[in-house]
Amino acid sequence: MLRKIVLLVFILIGLLVVAVVAAAFLIDPDDYRDELAERASAQLGREVKLEGPMELRYFPWLALDIRDVTVGNPPGFEQAPPLAGIERATASVRILPLLRGEIEVGAVTIERAGVHLVTGRGGASNLDGLFAPADSAPDSGDPTDLSQIQTGAVRFDNVVLSLIDLAAGTRTELRLDRVSLDPFAAGRDVPLSLSGRLVEGGETVVTLELDGTVRVAADLGEVALSDFSLDYELPAAGAEGEASGSLVLNPMAEPLRIELSSFANRIELDGLTADLSADQAITATLGEVVRANLPSARLSLNGQALMLDGEATIGERIGGRLAVTGERLDLTRLVPEGAQETSESGSGAEEGPGDDFSALEMFDLAFSLELDELVLAEGARLTEVSARSRLTGGELTLDPLTARLFGGQFRGSAGVDFTRQPPEVVLSPSLSGIRVAELAALFTGQSPVDGEGEFTMDVRFSGFSPEQMLASLDGSGNFAIAEGVLQGVDLQALIDQELTSDNLGNIARSFGGETRFRTLDGGMRIEDGVVELPNLTLSAAGYGATGQGRIDLGANRVDYALALDLGEELTQRLPSALRRSTGGRIPLSISGELTRPTVRVDLASLAEGVIREELGRRLLEALEGDDDEGPESQDAEAGQDQAGQQEGEAAREADEPDERERRREAGRSLLRSLLEKDEKDDATEEEPEAAETQEDTEEAESDPPPEEAA
């Protein structure tokens, strides 16, 4: 397609020069309008019309001015715009050389022209069959031979190249506001400059300014653009950039092939500066999708150097398969300053232009990643990173990912969704040997726990600042920490100083310090920066604790409800009444500031436990006492009426074991219902009635039948 476009332009210029020479001898060019149009039609295989006036000037150059030239379409494209249209074209030759039989062409200018490449609904193109077969135009010569075309300066003003798809209803335009080419000859280096823009759907996508040196082979086998410099802007994304290098292309190849050497490109977008360069030649093929090989290219993101090796594609998106290696990649340095200022002003602040990561949605990259260091967020520093990664639609995914993190090992996945505002980070790791205080410091400046831990987590948060991360932290997981420290409370001091007293109600103060433990494990749920710990288990020297807790990292507060389980040795140190009533299990409430909470004995829970214990003990004693008295009373009755009740007494003695077992089971049932009473708060009104009914029933069963009593 490009070859045909280039040929079309050069043939039109050549015919224009021929027309000038003919006009010099024929004097009145309008008399030969039809002959010129016929020759052009035969050359192109399309109907050429010269519909405007043709003017001839003689000084200082012999110049021909032609207006309203059109090149038609093949059959089937009647509703499409013509293949080419030129509103005005001029060409000139010097008079004196012409009188000697020599042709010295001067300037060639084409103004307000358009070339429309149309694809029909059936897939056919108006370029099909553009050049007539050689036998239909025997005098036309080789259309690819440019050796006979030499001109002075060539200038195009307001030229439009349109790509129109009738089936899809799309139109893409390359608008060349200005193209300036120094005197041209095939095989010669000619300075070139142009300015233009790419327009889609009426919106400008790219504006560009290009300067360089072009060389065109006579057979169009090679077109070279040397030492070019390109400045461009992407208005929709607010980006601008510059590129330089040299390229060589072969318009005759299918698909079109380009070799790009000494290439360097820089683009700046909302505080992100990306530099891409390559010492070795980059090769590319131009089809519906541009494919490029990148051998040992260098990519710098805000000064962070990465090495690339792979293949890239440029179509609707920029894609590729790359191997990326480097020393350090800090994602927080890619966040625009405007986004950070917005986050610091609060979540309700309006989003500014710095929040826009839409340019990343152009990428669809699959790559392997080998980095010495990767910073996902402030404080989240991974080292020895190895990952399979993908950036697509503005989402960066690293899965699987292995790395060193917080002194331990990270295995799992990570992701950053740049389509959200602020960006959302998702971590799904299995962590081993992690320093817990450093993990907690990722979200808050201080940690309530330290030690070496194992974690299985699914965590997400938004933004890259600690404030954003903490306010949006959500997730769940399990943990197990060994040989660690619980900060803010010294449980050993509580045991040594307070639990030797019977007056536990006076315990309500901060003990400060720390509690060293052997193991601490449980599950956790995280929502909006609040960590729920539903099943804590702590084991320390001589004692342990179970319960649940809550850590509000944003408010810097903790709230634990723990049952302190004293070991046998510590339990023996308790006052006898306390030891007898609690059995060495002390309920505690720990709440307040993260690093110095207040510790209280949960008297309500303690009293409830004591009451249960005492009630159960007395009930069992009563039941056992009843069992002891039953046989004695029955023996007394038997002694009083031994002679008359021999058979009945024998029957009752046979039934006594079953009767005692029924009484014990009734007592156990009653005790269980009392002990489980606090777990049935929604049935507090019904349970007493049920208990009374059951008790009446048991009493009725335990009393002897009237006949036996008699």
Side-chain angles (χ1 to χ4, degrees):
M1 182 179 70
L2 180 61
R3 178 178 66 87
K4 292 185 177 182
I5 295 173
V6 173
L7 283 172
L8 175 63
V9 172
F10 280 117
I11 288 175
L12 289 175
I13 293 174
L15 291 172
L16 186 59
V17 173
V18 171
V20 174
V21 176
F25 295 99
L26 300 174
I27 305 302
D28 188 356
D30 273 323
D31 293 341
Y32 297 90
R33 178 194 305 274
D34 294 340
E35 182 180 343
L36 293 173
E38 183 179 349
R39 182 168 181 176
S41 298
Q43 186 80 18
L44 296 175
R46 294 285 190 273
E47 183 182 11
V48 178
K49 295 181 179 181
L50 305 176
E51 299 178 321
M54 301 175 65
E55 298 178 1
L56 191 63
R57 296 193 303 270
Y58 294 95
F59 186 82
W61 292 70
L62 179 64
L64 180 66
D65 190 324
I66 301 178
R67 302 183 183 231
D68 299 331
V69 180
T70 60
V71 179
N73 286 318
F77 290 86
E78 290 78 8
Q79 303 301 318
L83 173 60
I86 301 174
E87 187 172 324
R88 183 178 183 181
T90 61
S92 61
V93 294
R94 294 188 65 180
I95 297 176
L96 292 179
L98 187 61
L99 296 176
R100 296 193 299 266
E102 300 174 358
I103 299 177
E104 185 176 336
V105 180
V108 176
T109 302
I110 296 178
E111 301 179 35
R112 293 181 295 279
V115 177
H116 308 288
L117 310 182
V118 183
T119 302
R121 291 179 173 82
S125 169
N126 65 344
L127 286 179
D128 295 342
L130 176 59
F131 298 102
D135 57 1
S136 67
D139 298 330
S140 61
D142 184 0
T144 62
D145 185 7
L146 306 180
S147 60
Q148 302 304 314
I149 298 179
Q150 298 186 27
T151 72
V154 177
R155 183 181 178 91
F156 295 165
D157 290 322
N158 298 317
V159 175
V160 177
L161 172 62
S162 300
L163 302 177
I164 302 172
D165 189 329
L166 296 178
T170 60
R171 182 178 185 132
T172 301
E173 296 179 342
L174 176 60
R175 296 181 175 269
L176 299 174
D177 301 324
R178 174 188 55 81
V179 178
S180 178
L181 189 68
D182 279 8
F184 172 83
R188 180 190 301 168
D189 288 339
V190 180
L192 167 71
S193 67
L194 66 83
S195 64
R197 50 205 167 99
L198 183 65
V199 179
E200 288 187 353
E203 298 291 334
T204 299
V205 178
V206 181
T207 64
L208 52 90
E209 296 275 348
L210 174 68
D211 290 288
T213 300
V214 65
R215 184 180 66 255
V216 181
D219 61 355
L220 270 183
E222 181 179 282
V223 176
L225 179 62
S226 306
D227 301 324
F228 71 82
S229 63
L230 172 66
D231 295 323
Y232 60 91
E233 292 184 5
L234 306 173
E240 60 183 25
E242 57 186 21
S244 62
S246 297
L247 66 83
V248 176
L249 62 87
N250 183 357
M252 309 300 291
E254 290 293 343
L256 188 66
R257 186 175 184 274
I258 293 179
E259 183 175 294
L260 188 60
S261 58
S262 302
F263 177 70
N265 177 73
R266 165 174 285 201
I267 184 171
E268 296 182 357
L269 170 65
D270 292 333
L272 171 65
T273 300
D275 292 277
L276 178 65
S277 61
D279 294 330
Q280 300 183 37
I282 299 173
T283 59
T285 55
L286 303 184
E288 292 184 0
V289 176
V290 178
R291 299 185 180 277
N293 291 319
L294 302 174
S296 301
R298 293 187 301 275
L299 174 65
S300 174
L301 298 174
N302 283 359
Q304 303 176 97
L306 302 172
M307 295 300 297
L308 308 180
D309 190 355
E311 179 184 84
T313 60
I314 302 175
E316 293 183 358
R317 291 186 175 183
I318 299 174
R321 297 183 299 276
L322 302 174
V324 181
T325 59
E327 294 182 359
R328 176 183 171 87
L329 176 59
D330 186 349
L331 295 181
T332 65
R333 292 181 58 183
L334 307 184
V335 180
E337 294 181 3
Q340 296 176 352
E341 293 172 358
T342 299
S343 67
E344 292 171 359
S345 63
S347 58
E350 295 183 0
E351 295 177 2
D355 295 315
D356 188 8
F357 292 90
S358 59
L360 295 178
E361 298 181 25
M362 296 189 301
F363 293 92
D364 187 0
L365 301 175
F367 50 94
S368 61
L369 188 64
E370 301 289 338
L371 294 173
D372 295 339
E373 182 178 5
L374 173 63
V375 180
L376 289 175
E378 187 174 338
R381 174 178 170 272
L382 287 74
T383 59
E384 302 176 24
V385 178
S386 177
R388 296 283 185 178
S389 310
R390 190 172 188 90
L391 174 62
T392 179
E395 298 184 32
L396 174 65
T397 303
L398 299 96
D399 185 13
L401 168 63
T402 61
R404 299 286 298 175
L405 176 67
F406 304 133
Q409 187 69 33
F410 180 112
R411 296 183 184 275
S413 64
V416 183
D417 186 351
F418 288 100
T419 65
R420 296 179 177 269
Q421 302 300 337
E424 182 180 71
V425 179
V426 178
L427 300 174
S428 298
S430 175
L431 307 175
S432 58
I434 299 298
R435 291 191 294 269
V436 179
E438 292 187 20
L439 175 62
L442 177 61
F443 307 104
T444 181
Q446 49 194 354
S447 171
V449 182
D450 196 6
E452 187 174 289
E454 311 284 329
F455 289 81
T456 302
M457 306 168 63
D458 287 294
V459 178
R460 67 181 62 235
F461 54 85
S462 297
F464 296 114
S465 69
E467 295 80 9
Q468 285 180 312
M469 294 158 56
L470 185 58
S472 59
L473 182 62
D474 289 304
S476 61
N478 297 287
F479 66 92
I481 306 172
E483 302 300 332
V485 176
L486 181 65
Q487 302 286 358
V489 59
D490 188 347
L491 293 180
Q492 189 64 52
L494 168 70
I495 296 170
D496 294 340
Q497 299 173 17
E498 304 291 350
L499 296 187
T500 57
S501 170
D502 288 327
N503 190 9
L504 298 181
N506 292 331
I507 302 176
R509 66 182 181 86
S510 172
F511 285 83
E514 60 185 29
T515 297
R516 294 196 169 274
F517 57 81
R518 293 172 179 168
T519 61
L520 175 64
D521 57 61
M524 61 181 175
R525 295 188 302 270
I526 310 172
E527 184 174 357
D528 297 333
V530 178
V531 183
E532 298 284 351
L533 305 167
N535 52 349
L536 280 173
T537 301
L538 180 145
S539 173
Y543 65 93
T546 58
Q548 58 276 339
R550 173 188 177 96
I551 304 174
D552 190 335
L553 297 175
N556 193 35
R557 294 185 62 83
V558 296
D559 188 4
Y560 301 110
L562 299 179
L564 188 62
D565 293 314
L566 302 178
E568 180 178 354
E569 180 180 347
L570 293 176
T571 300
Q572 294 302 319
R573 293 169 52 186
L574 296 176
S576 58
L578 185 61
R579 182 174 64 251
R580 185 173 59 253
S581 61
T582 65
R585 185 177 177 85
I586 311 297
L588 300 177
S589 171
I590 305 175
S591 61
E593 185 180 345
L594 188 66
T595 57
R596 198 171 179 82
T598 299
V599 181
R600 295 179 176 86
V601 174
D602 190 347
L603 294 177
S605 298
L606 180 61
E608 185 176 355
V610 171
I611 291 173
R612 287 185 195 171
E613 181 69 22
E614 185 65 17
L615 180 60
R617 184 182 62 79
R618 294 191 179 186
L619 181 59
L620 289 175
E621 288 178 355
L623 291 174
E624 291 297 332
D626 191 35
D627 288 342
D628 293 340
E629 292 176 0
E632 293 177 0
S633 61
Q634 291 175 7
D635 289 343
E637 291 178 2
Q640 294 173 0
D641 199 9
Q642 184 175 6
Q645 302 292 336
Q646 290 292 336
E647 293 181 0
E649 182 65 21
R652 282 195 299 274
E653 287 178 354
D655 292 339
E656 278 178 3
D658 292 339
E659 181 68 21
R660 285 195 299 270
E661 185 60 31
R662 281 197 300 272
R663 290 185 180 183
R664 289 193 183 97
E665 184 59 33
R668 294 190 190 99
S669 298
L670 179 58
L671 181 58
R672 279 196 300 269
S673 66
L674 291 173
L675 294 178
E676 295 174 357
K677 181 176 180 298
D678 64 324
E679 299 177 1
K680 300 177 181 178
D681 293 336
D682 57 342
T684 53
E685 296 296 330
E686 299 178 2
E687 286 186 350
E689 297 179 4
E692 291 176 5
T693 303
Q694 185 176 3
E695 186 176 357
D696 293 340
T697 302
E698 299 300 338
E699 288 179 355
E701 292 178 355
S702 62
D703 292 336
E707 296 81 5
E708 294 179 3

